Amino acid sequence: MKRRVLLIGIGLIGGSVTLALKEEHDVHVSGYDVNIENAQLAQRMNVIDDVVVSIRKEAPRADLIVLACPVTQVEDYLEKLAKLPLKRGALITDVGSTKGEIVRKAKVLHDKGVTFIGGHPMAGSHKTGVGSAKAHLFENAFYILTPTREANPERVLELKDWLRGTKAKFITMGADEHDRLTGVISHFPHLVATSLVRQVKNHALKDPRIGFLAAGGFRDITRIASSSPNMWSDIFKKNRSNLVDLIDEWMEEMKIVKRLIMSGESEELYNYFSGAKTFRDSLPVRAKGAIKAFYDLYVDVLDRPGVISHVTTILAEEQISITNIRIIEAREDVFGVLRLSFQSEKDRKKARECLEKEQFETFIPM
């Protein structure tokens, strides 16, 4: 008899998790989503096997429940699940970007013979929605698990076995530790990027030239500011204490920078930038981290009719998919005027080989 999985919240991440489950296990996946049309699309794509309109009937039958909805909704569903006669020995996990409040809310489930283990797959895509779900989305990405003290090690191993089709790198840590670390390397950088965009927006209101000059490198370094406002407002609310501490640290750092600039001391300024460059250059290039990777390739092209279609034709003939293509007008510190984005490092490498074979000059940003 097939084991049963219930997916609550059907999008890119949840859909990719269940596709990975199906790669390794003979399971029946039921899906619930507040948007019934979204759930029906997932069924047509074979991401799920059937659509349920209420979790009340299906949750008690499930061996594994995956909560793949926004973090605030995860807490609401945990309360609802705690009131249902769930199968003894069932596992529940989530895919949220914050863990502290969720794990504390889930403690009531352990009294019912059910184990909750928080999960956070650190991978994403330029695209959103279940239509972009892929079983290999999490391959080689870090997948953090945050079991409570009530969850014994055997149950953690059981969840890893469920998720082995993701081919992710599992890391286990406490929920509060998770929120602190992701606050440093994911949540706070999003806040900084958003603040930079708002500052430029204020200047652009006074001088419209700012807008088109910011179309080059500035747009690239603040790319993460285009992420979902709903998702990030939820994350900031749930990880507020860590973010407030990080903002205080950042303000102190800006005081140091301000002092260095005002002093005009060349050696100190050089050391400040050099130290940051050295650390940044030491970070892994191909590893998947907390912020989704952008597999970009810059191509130097002449300004002549048909050159872009020539580039895309070369890639199409090799069946290489492009997720985004952009002509760069402001070229400061950028080697190339055409930026191509790909889904994976493998696609980018293959594209570079094809284009250079056709005498195009390419550059991979570091």
Side-chain angles (χ1 to χ4, degrees):
M1 186 175 178
K2 288 186 177 182
R3 290 188 292 177
R4 301 187 70 89
V5 176
L6 173 60
L7 173 64
I8 300 177
I10 308 171
L12 171 71
I13 302 299
S16 297
V17 168
T18 52
L19 284 174
L21 283 171
K22 287 186 162 194
E23 292 248 314
E24 294 288 334
H25 302 283
D26 184 20
V27 292
H28 179 95
V29 180
S30 297
Y32 171 80
D33 196 280
V34 291
N35 185 335
I36 189 67
E37 292 180 356
N38 192 50
Q40 290 169 344
L41 171 62
Q43 185 177 17
R44 290 195 298 271
M45 295 176 57
N46 294 319
V47 173
I48 61 176
D49 298 303
D50 67 349
V51 177
V52 295
V53 295
S54 171
I55 66 170
R56 182 174 296 275
K57 180 179 179 181
E58 186 59 34
R61 305 167 64 192
D63 298 288
L64 174 69
I65 300 174
V66 179
L67 296 164
C69 40
V71 289
T72 51
Q73 293 179 27
V74 169
E75 295 177 24
D76 293 338
Y77 280 114
L78 287 172
E79 290 183 355
K80 293 176 181 177
L81 290 170
K83 297 174 183 177
L84 298 177
L86 301 178
K87 181 183 290 188
R88 192 162 190 84
L91 268 174
I92 303 176
T93 189
D94 76 314
V95 297
S97 298
T98 59
K99 283 285 157 287
E101 290 189 34
I102 288 174
V103 166
R104 284 186 281 276
K105 185 84 70 172
K107 285 187 177 180
V108 65
L109 291 165
H110 293 281
D111 299 332
K112 299 169 64 69
V114 175
T115 300
F116 175 85
I117 300 173
H120 180 194
M122 288 188 162
S125 170
H126 302 289
K127 299 180 181 180
T128 59
V130 70
S132 301
K134 294 178 177 63
H136 63 268
L137 182 66
F138 311 111
E139 187 171 354
N140 295 321
F142 292 113
Y143 201 126
I144 298 179
L145 301 179
T146 58
T148 62
R149 292 178 181 176
E150 293 84 359
N152 62 51
E154 288 77 15
R155 304 245 62 190
V156 177
L157 291 174
E158 184 181 344
L159 180 58
K160 288 181 180 179
D161 183 66
W162 271 109
L163 298 170
R164 68 174 184 265
T166 63
K167 297 181 173 60
K169 300 174 182 176
F170 294 104
I171 300 177
T172 302
M173 63 179 67
D176 291 333
E177 184 182 12
H178 165 276
D179 289 353
R180 178 178 62 83
L181 294 179
T182 54
V184 172
I185 46 85
S186 176
H187 305 166
F188 186 68
H190 275 83
L191 184 61
V192 171
T194 301
S195 300
L196 287 173
V197 172
R198 287 179 59 86
Q199 184 180 43
V200 168
K201 175 188 173 184
N202 291 335
H203 283 277
L205 293 174
K206 304 170 187 174
D207 188 341
R209 293 174 297 180
I210 293 287
F212 61 78
L213 289 174
F218 178 80
R219 184 180 171 89
D220 289 342
I221 65 173
T222 57
R223 211 190 293 193
I224 55 177
S226 290
S227 301
S228 166
N230 289 332
M231 179 183 75
W232 282 102
S233 60
D234 282 349
I235 289 172
F236 289 150
K237 283 189 294 185
K238 295 301 179 182
N239 203 16
R240 63 169 68 90
S241 61
N242 284 310
L243 286 167
V244 168
D245 290 342
L246 290 166
I247 289 170
D248 289 339
E249 288 180 17
W250 180 257
M251 292 173 72
E252 291 301 315
E253 183 73 10
M254 289 300 98
K255 289 179 182 178
I256 294 172
V257 177
K258 183 178 180 180
R259 178 180 61 78
L260 291 176
I261 294 172
M262 290 180 67
S263 71
E265 175 56 51
S266 298
E267 185 175 354
E268 286 189 351
L269 278 169
Y270 173 84
N271 289 337
Y272 186 85
F273 288 106
S274 177
K277 180 182 186 306
T278 299
F279 178 74
R280 197 267 183 185
D281 291 349
S282 71
L283 299 175
V285 176
R286 293 181 175 83
K288 293 184 179 181
I291 297 177
K292 64 185 179 185
F294 297 95
Y295 301 104
D296 292 344
L297 180 67
Y298 292 101
V299 185
D300 210 355
V301 295
L302 296 175
D303 185 8
R304 65 187 185 200
V307 66
I308 296 178
S309 63
H310 181 39
V311 169
T312 56
T313 298
I314 292 171
L315 300 179
E317 289 175 347
E318 296 294 329
Q319 297 185 324
I320 303 172
S321 176
I322 304 172
T323 60
N324 194 13
I325 182 169
R326 187 162 72 84
I327 300 171
I328 299 172
E329 296 174 357
R331 298 187 62 187
E332 182 182 8
D333 204 28
V334 174
F335 300 91
V337 295
L338 191 65
R339 192 192 73 200
L340 308 175
S341 299
F342 301 93
Q343 292 181 351
S344 66
E345 172 63 26
K346 180 181 178 181
D347 285 350
R348 179 170 66 177
K349 182 180 178 182
K350 186 177 178 182
R352 189 179 198 187
E353 291 172 353
C354 295
L355 292 171
E356 291 189 347
K357 193 179 296 183
E358 295 293 327
Q359 306 307 308
F360 284 100
E361 290 188 27
T362 67
F363 172 75
I364 293 178
M366 298 299 290

